């Protein structure tokens, strides 16, 4: 049997005409010439191809989406720091006016803790709202509807002082948390679905970049020369409405997610139009076919719930990995760094009046590291940036523990502590600060993605709340050694990712699922529910010539 196949091929070649024989050496010579070219030429062509993926519409959609979403999340993380004494004075004055006596210090501390932490509770509520909103409204419209929460929260918080009701500030923080919960799920989902796989990581990092820009803006506007004064602090919260209004009036001019239109709304014409807009080219047949293949494989699969996702064997390790990365994202100790920043700067001899300006350096370092990560993520990949980021954080947390313990032994040691703080922030933003959101969009297929973001968002916000609740007790009992707890969490996260996480750079959802298949000991259900392929076999219809990359990988099982 082995000798017959080559013979038949030889006979076929010999029976061909001379006209068919002659042209054959030309492509070979051309291929030889192309292969002999300088590798730099190939690199230039790859670079040009990647540049062509960055269409104007794609850039505008990512910037507008992030400005009205993740920017506000970062802004609300830092905006409460500068006006803290004025807000507490407002609480005390309101309490005394209503009851005739000053507020008890413990009650004031409780009210302030609720004001800060209720943001995370609102975020958890918002996370559970993403799936129904995304199903009926779509990705883009979910972002647009979410602006209503931001504008409502801005009005409540900005008018609280004039109305003399601190409850308005607390409710506004909760509503703003709902906005953040929706934004941190809907935005990464939208960006993941509109971007080509070649730049999916870079575009996904826009979420993290604008979180950092939001933190920096909150620090900047909180300076005494700007809005960080007793008479102007309500405007700090009212400014939230500006990015929301900008997104509300501009995002409607951009298309909906083409994958949502194709796979969930079954509107191929609108999906093709959206693909052309985002990719900046007329021929989008390859992208449409790839999305259609994913849709065919999931024709009999409904939009799964979070509970169903947790019970699905074929995505078990994807879910575990998302849970681990999201938990480490919040529990890695960055929030604790903000707690120590002012005291460490003070120990270094910086006057209290200058500390707010020095603190701006932390926001600047965050932003620069996030931008750098976005520039190199498609070259280095997700895996090295995540593992390297958590590994470096472990190292610098260890050094920071030593410097804080010995900071009174030499005048230069507090400055080393400042360097460690900046290094920890840079390490976090270089990978762990944004890649968890990218991975959540990459790990799961269309029918599973909303549920995956619910799981990721739940872990994110519960971990955020746990840090705010438990850190004061950890710090009180361990002192400067509390950072060893965060070093242990970072090292555990780095080890887990080293042994479990595959590289997802420039890979389709089917390829990523296959990479996890051996560990899951189960193939994706898409293989079993490819009704289109089954129908073709049953009716003996020929398959279309244009087969997608997704179909090829699923059928061959090659990664």
């Amino acid at each position: 049997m082995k000798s017959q196949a080559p013979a038949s091929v030889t006979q076929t070649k010999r029976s061909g005409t001379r006209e068919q024989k002659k042209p054959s050496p030309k492509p070979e010579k051309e291929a030889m010439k192309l292969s002999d070219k300088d590798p730099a030429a190939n690199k230039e062509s790859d670079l040009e191809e990647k540049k062509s993926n960055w269409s104007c519409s794609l850039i505008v959609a990512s910037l507008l989406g992030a400005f009205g979403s993740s920017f506000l999340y970062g802004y609300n993380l830092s905006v409460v720091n500068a006006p803290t004494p004025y807000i507490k004075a407002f609480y005390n004055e309101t309490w005394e006016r209503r009851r005739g006596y000053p507020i008890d210090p413990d009650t004031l501390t409780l009210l302030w803790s609720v004001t800060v932490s209720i943001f995370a509770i609102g975020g958890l509520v918002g996370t559970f709202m993403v799936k129904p909103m995304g199903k009926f409204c779509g990705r883009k419209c979910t972002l647009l509807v979410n602006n209503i929460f931001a504008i409502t929260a801005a009005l409540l918080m900005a008018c609280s002082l004039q109305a003399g009701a601190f409850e308005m500030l607390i409710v506004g923080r909760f509503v703003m948390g709902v906005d953040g919960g929706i934004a941190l799920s809907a935005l990464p989902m939208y960006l993941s679905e509109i971007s080509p796989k070649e730049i999916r990581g870079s575009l996904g990092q826009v979420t993290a970049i604008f979180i950092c820009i939001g933190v920096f803006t909150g620090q900047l506007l909180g300076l005494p020369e700007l809005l960080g004064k007793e008479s102007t602090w309500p405007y700090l919260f009212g400014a939230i409405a500006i990015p929301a209004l900008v997104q509300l009036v501009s995002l409607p001019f951009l298309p909906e997610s083409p994958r949502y239109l194709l796979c969930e709304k079954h509107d191929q014409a609108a999906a093709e139009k959206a693909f052309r807009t985002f990719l900046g080219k007329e021929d989008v047949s390859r992208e449409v076919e790839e999305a259609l293949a994913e849709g065919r494989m999931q024709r009999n699969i409904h939009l799964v719930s979070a509970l169903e996702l947790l019970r699905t064997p074929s995505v078990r390790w994807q879910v575990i990995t998302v849970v681990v990365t999201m938990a480490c994202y919040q529990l890695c100790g960055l929030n604790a760094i903000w707690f120590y920043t002012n005291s460490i700067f003070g120990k270094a001899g910086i006057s209290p009046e200058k500390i707010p300006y020095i603190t701006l350096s932390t926001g600047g370092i965050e932003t620069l590291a996030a931008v750098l990560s976005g520039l190199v993520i498609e070259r280095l990949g997700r895996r090295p940036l995540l593992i390297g980021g958590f590994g470096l954080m472990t190292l610098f947390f260890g050094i920071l523990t030593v410097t804080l313990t010995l900071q009174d032994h030499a005048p230069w040691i507090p400055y080393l502590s400042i360097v460690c703080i900046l290094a920890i922030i840079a390490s976090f933003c270089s990978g762990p600060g944004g890649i968890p959101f990218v991975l959540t969009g990459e790990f799961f297929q269309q029918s599973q993605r909303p549920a995956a973001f619910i799981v990721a968002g739940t872990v994110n916000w519960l971990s955020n709340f746990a840090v705010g609740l438990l850190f004061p007790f950890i710090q009180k009992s361990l002192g400067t050694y509390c950072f060893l707890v965060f070093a242990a969490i970072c090292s555990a996260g780095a080890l887990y990712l080293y042994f479990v996480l595959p590289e997802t750079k420039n890979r389709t959802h089917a390829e990523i699922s296959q990479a996890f298949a051996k560990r899951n000991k189960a193939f994706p259900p898409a293989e079993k529910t490819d009704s289109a392929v089954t129908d073709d076999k049953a009716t003996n219809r020929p398959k279309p010539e244009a087969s997608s990359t997704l179909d090829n990988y699923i059928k061959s099982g090659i990664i």
Side-chain angles (χ1 to χ4, degrees):
M1 292 294 292
K2 288 181 181 179
S3 60
Q4 289 176 0
S8 61
V9 173
T10 306
Q11 288 173 1
T12 305
K13 288 182 178 179
R14 286 175 181 172
S15 61
T17 61
R18 293 179 70 181
E19 288 76 17
Q20 292 173 331
K21 270 184 157 184
K22 284 182 179 179
S24 60
K26 283 188 177 181
E28 291 177 7
K29 288 181 181 178
E30 290 175 2
M32 289 283 289
K33 288 178 182 177
L34 288 171
S35 62
D36 290 339
K37 281 185 179 180
D38 187 4
N42 294 329
K43 288 183 179 179
E44 286 179 6
S45 63
D46 292 340
L47 188 61
E48 287 178 4
E49 186 177 349
K50 284 186 177 180
K51 283 182 179 178
S52 65
N53 289 321
W54 289 94
S55 69
C56 181
S57 298
L58 199 61
I59 294 171
V60 171
S62 61
L63 295 179
L64 288 175
F67 183 58
S69 302
S70 60
F71 173 86
L72 290 180
Y73 169 75
Y75 183 85
N76 280 279
L77 289 179
S78 64
V79 74
V80 294
N81 294 332
T84 296
Y86 308 126
I87 295 174
K88 287 184 176 180
F90 164 56
Y91 283 6
N92 188 36
E93 290 170 8
T94 306
W95 187 280
E96 189 172 2
R97 187 179 66 252
R98 291 178 182 177
R99 307 195 177 213
Y101 56 88
I103 192 171
D104 182 77
D106 292 336
T107 306
L108 180 60
T109 302
L110 177 63
L111 277 175
W112 179 245
S113 299
V114 170
T115 304
V116 174
S117 61
I118 204 168
F119 181 69
I121 302 299
L124 186 61
V125 173
T127 298
F128 286 104
M129 295 172 62
V130 169
K131 185 184 175 184
M133 289 178 68
K135 180 180 180 181
F136 293 107
C137 300
R139 316 304 189 228
K140 184 189 77 171
C141 289
T142 297
L143 292 174
L144 289 172
V145 172
N146 195 33
N147 291 308
I148 297 173
F149 292 104
I151 295 170
T152 303
L155 292 173
L156 283 170
M157 293 187 288
C159 298
S160 59
L161 179 63
Q162 189 175 1
F166 59 76
E167 295 87 355
M168 291 174 64
L169 183 62
I170 296 174
V171 173
R173 286 282 293 173
F174 172 80
V175 175
M176 201 61 230
V178 174
D179 175 270
I182 295 172
L184 290 189
S185 295
L187 176 65
M189 207 185 310
Y190 182 59
L191 296 181
S192 174
E193 292 180 5
I194 68 174
S195 60
K197 65 179 185 296
E198 292 82 7
I199 59 169
R200 194 170 53 213
S202 296
L203 200 70
Q205 279 295 87
V206 171
T207 301
I209 291 170
F210 271 80
I211 289 176
C212 297
I213 295 174
V215 170
F216 181 76
T217 305
Q219 294 172 340
L220 182 64
L221 293 181
L223 293 175
E225 289 81 0
L226 297 176
L227 300 178
K229 294 180 287 190
E230 186 174 5
S231 59
T232 57
W233 68 261
Y235 298 111
L236 272 173
F237 297 99
I240 291 168
I242 296 174
L245 288 171
V246 169
Q247 188 185 82
L248 193 61
V249 299
S250 56
L251 200 60
F253 295 98
L254 292 164
E256 178 58 85
S257 159
R259 288 182 175 273
Y260 168 79
L261 293 171
L262 197 61
C263 298
E264 296 186 34
K265 289 298 182 182
H266 310 293
D267 189 347
Q268 185 167 342
E272 289 178 355
K273 185 178 179 181
F275 268 127
R276 290 191 190 99
T277 301
F278 284 129
L279 301 181
K281 60 182 183 180
E282 285 299 317
D283 185 12
V284 294
S285 56
R286 183 176 66 87
E287 288 78 11
V288 170
E289 179 58 29
E290 183 179 304
L292 279 173
E294 185 178 347
R296 285 198 300 269
M297 293 189 314
Q298 299 178 79
R299 187 176 294 177
N300 295 334
I301 304 176
H302 66 286
L303 207 60
V304 302
S305 65
L307 190 59
E308 289 172 326
L309 185 72
L310 294 173
R311 291 175 176 174
T312 304
S314 61
V315 293
R316 182 180 294 117
W317 280 96
Q318 289 96 309
V319 171
I320 293 173
T321 303
V322 164
V323 169
V324 169
T325 52
M326 276 297 178
C328 291
Y329 169 77
Q330 286 291 352
L331 301 177
C332 66
L334 197 72
N335 292 337
I337 287 294
W338 302 123
F339 181 85
Y340 266 93
T341 300
N342 287 356
S343 63
I344 291 173
F345 287 163
K347 287 282 186 181
I350 300 170
S351 62
E353 296 80 14
K354 294 181 180 179
I355 285 178
Y357 304 96
I358 304 299
T359 305
L360 284 176
S361 64
T362 60
I365 290 290
E366 268 194 311
T367 305
L368 288 175
V371 170
L372 180 63
S373 175
L375 293 174
V376 302
I377 188 172
E378 295 300 346
R379 183 181 296 272
L380 299 180
R382 288 71 157 144
R383 180 181 155 88
L385 289 175
L386 264 181
I387 298 171
F390 281 127
L392 288 174
M393 289 181 76
T394 303
L395 172 64
F396 290 120
F397 269 131
I399 299 173
L400 182 62
T401 303
V402 174
T403 58
L404 289 177
T405 306
L406 303 176
Q407 63 184 352
D408 296 327
H409 288 67
W412 54 269
I413 292 181
Y415 292 98
L416 186 57
S417 299
I418 294 175
V419 173
C420 286
I421 285 177
L422 297 178
I424 289 168
I425 293 171
S427 301
F428 174 80
C429 293
S430 64
I435 294 178
F437 299 101
V438 177
L439 292 181
T440 307
E442 290 182 329
F443 280 172
F444 302 94
Q445 295 179 342
Q446 193 76 19
S447 62
Q448 301 165 337
R449 203 169 291 130
F453 274 98
I454 289 177
V455 173
T458 302
V459 174
N460 177 36
W461 291 103
L462 286 178
S463 301
N464 183 307
F465 182 74
V467 168
L469 187 67
L470 299 177
F471 176 70
F473 299 100
I474 296 173
Q475 189 272 332
K476 187 176 181 180
S477 57
L478 297 179
T480 57
Y481 295 101
C482 66
F483 288 110
L484 293 178
V485 175
F486 302 120
I489 292 172
C490 291
S491 62
L495 285 172
Y496 173 87
L497 294 169
Y498 179 79
F499 288 108
V500 174
L501 180 67
E503 182 53 67
T504 61
K505 178 184 71 173
N506 202 22
R507 303 177 90 174
T508 65
H509 298 295
E511 293 174 301
I512 296 169
S513 297
Q514 288 287 344
F516 277 103
K518 186 176 180 181
R519 191 176 294 276
N520 287 324
K521 297 180 181 178
F523 287 98
E527 287 191 332
K528 301 175 184 179
T529 58
D530 192 349
S531 58
V533 175
T534 307
D535 293 342
D536 287 343
K537 287 181 179 179
T539 57
N540 293 322
R541 287 181 296 183
K543 295 178 184 178
E545 292 180 7
S547 61
S548 69
T549 307
L550 192 62
D551 284 331
N552 292 335
Y553 280 113
I554 288 292
K555 289 168 188 171
S556 62
I558 297 173
I559 295 299

